[in-house]
């Protein structure tokens, strides 16, 4: 299965989004859950990717059908949904993101995704990428059932949330054991598996496990670390 290398974009700047595409990322995650971007400003982020091969994935703040439909109508290639804990919740996401007979997304031929009516789809309607985030002990237990849901593209681990929830629930399962379990569940159903990577040193271990959707840090973290290195260098003069 092909590997997709991406980055999380939290700053909310179309210029940063455009730069990420220029640098050659396979995909970017435009973050409406924790990022600084507002929903109304999202189209300008998507326009910044026009003409590039970089896929636009938008993390919605919650699996609201109207929000999911608008994001896709505006031209996103897919969505990431946080805190998908059960197969029923995964099916709800697919239902909101896909057209009948696979779902209940409303059809409009004049939206940006279809060139405001200038590029109408022919044949079967397009199916979006759907990344279901596994971020709780409950979701780990249900990972195989979530991966089995038709329309889910990949399971995507949220390391911070998963680690926090395991501690909050006093789970006896170690974090690393949960990660391995999630990857196995995805592979068993021929689905991808992804994770946010904060430390480049982790890449070999994650590559060996078989992750196919890799997010290499976020724009905000990269700018922060760059600023810190810069001021440390300047202070040492």
């Amino acid at each position: 299965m092909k590997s997709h290398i991406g980055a999380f974009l939290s700053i909310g700047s179309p210029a940063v989004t455009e730069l990420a595409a220029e640098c050659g990322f396979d995909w970017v995650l435009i973050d409406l859950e924790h990022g600084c971007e507002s929903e109304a400003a999202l189209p300008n982020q998507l326009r910044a990717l026009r003409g590039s091969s970089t896929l636009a994935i938008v993390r919605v703040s919650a699996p609201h059908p109207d929000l999911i439909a608008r994001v896709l109508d505006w031209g996103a290639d897919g969505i990431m949904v946080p805190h998908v804990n059960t197969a029923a919740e995964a099916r709800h996401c697919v239902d909101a993101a896909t057209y009948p007979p696979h779902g209940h997304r409303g059809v409009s031929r004049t939206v940006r995704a279809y060139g405001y009516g200038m590029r109408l789809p022919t044949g079967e309607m397009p199916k979006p990428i759907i990344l279901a985030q596994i971020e709780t002990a409950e979701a780990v237990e249900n990972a195989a059932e979530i991966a089995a849901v038709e329309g889910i593209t990949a399971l995507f681990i949220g390391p911070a949330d998963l680690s926090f929830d395991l501690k909050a629930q006093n789970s006896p399962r170690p974090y690393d054991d949960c990660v391995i379990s999630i990857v196995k569940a995805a592979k068993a159903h021929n689905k991808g598996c992804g994770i946010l990577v904060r430390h480049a040193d982790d890449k070999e271990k994650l590559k060996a496990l078989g992750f196919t959707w890799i997010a290499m840090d976020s724009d905000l973290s990269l700018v922060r670390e760059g600023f810190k290195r810069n001021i440390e260098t300047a202070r040492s003069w």
Side-chain angles (χ1 to χ4, degrees):
M1 192 174 289
K2 180 185 176 183
S3 293
H4 307 272
I5 307 301
F8 275 33
L9 303 183
S10 302
I11 292 175
S13 166
V16 172
T17 302
E18 189 174 31
L19 178 58
E22 290 283 356
C23 288
F25 282 102
D26 299 318
W27 64 286
V28 292
L29 188 285
I30 302 171
D31 193 2
L32 294 185
E33 184 190 18
H34 295 300
C36 302
E37 187 64 283
S38 68
E39 180 189 339
L42 179 61
N44 283 335
Q45 294 267 51
L46 298 173
R47 289 186 182 100
L49 298 173
R50 182 185 288 274
S52 77
S53 60
T54 302
L55 296 172
I57 309 297
V58 175
R59 178 159 66 177
V60 294
S61 56
H64 299 311
D66 57 337
L67 174 58
I68 290 172
R70 281 196 299 276
V71 163
L72 296 172
D73 281 351
W74 286 339
D77 296 292
I79 57 171
M80 180 183 289
V81 184
H83 297 287
V84 178
N85 293 317
T86 66
E89 291 176 359
R91 282 192 291 270
H92 171 81
C93 297
V94 174
D95 185 75
T98 55
Y99 296 111
H102 306 290
H104 290 92
R105 177 182 167 191
V107 177
S108 173
R109 294 179 174 83
T110 59
V111 295
R112 181 178 180 273
Y114 305 132
Y116 306 104
M118 298 296 291
R119 291 182 280 104
L120 299 178
T122 58
E124 186 177 1
M125 296 294 276
K127 295 179 181 179
I129 296 165
I130 303 176
L131 307 181
Q133 284 206 272
I134 308 299
E135 302 184 284
T136 65
E138 180 186 10
V140 174
E141 295 303 317
N142 295 325
E145 290 81 3
I146 295 170
V149 173
E150 183 178 357
I152 294 295
T153 306
L155 306 183
F156 197 95
I157 298 170
D161 273 304
L162 180 55
S163 297
F164 187 89
D165 190 73
L166 291 173
K167 292 178 182 177
Q169 302 299 329
N170 292 315
S171 174
R173 297 189 67 175
Y175 172 81
D176 287 344
D177 178 64
C178 291
V179 169
I180 292 170
S181 178
I182 296 164
V183 174
K184 286 182 177 178
K187 287 182 178 179
H189 293 281
N190 199 31
K191 301 294 176 67
C193 196
I195 194 168
L196 173 62
V197 180
R198 292 293 190 185
H199 305 288
D201 292 343
D202 294 336
K203 69 181 188 303
E204 292 303 324
K205 178 178 70 174
L206 297 174
K207 181 179 178 182
L209 285 173
F211 281 94
T212 52
W213 288 82
I214 300 290
M216 292 299 298
D217 220 323
S218 70
D219 55 353
L220 191 58
S221 293
L222 292 168
V223 171
R224 181 191 67 227
E225 295 307 308
F227 278 165
K228 286 168 62 179
R229 285 194 301 272
N230 184 275
I231 192 64
E232 287 168 4
T233 299
R235 297 287 188 202
S236 68
W237 287 359

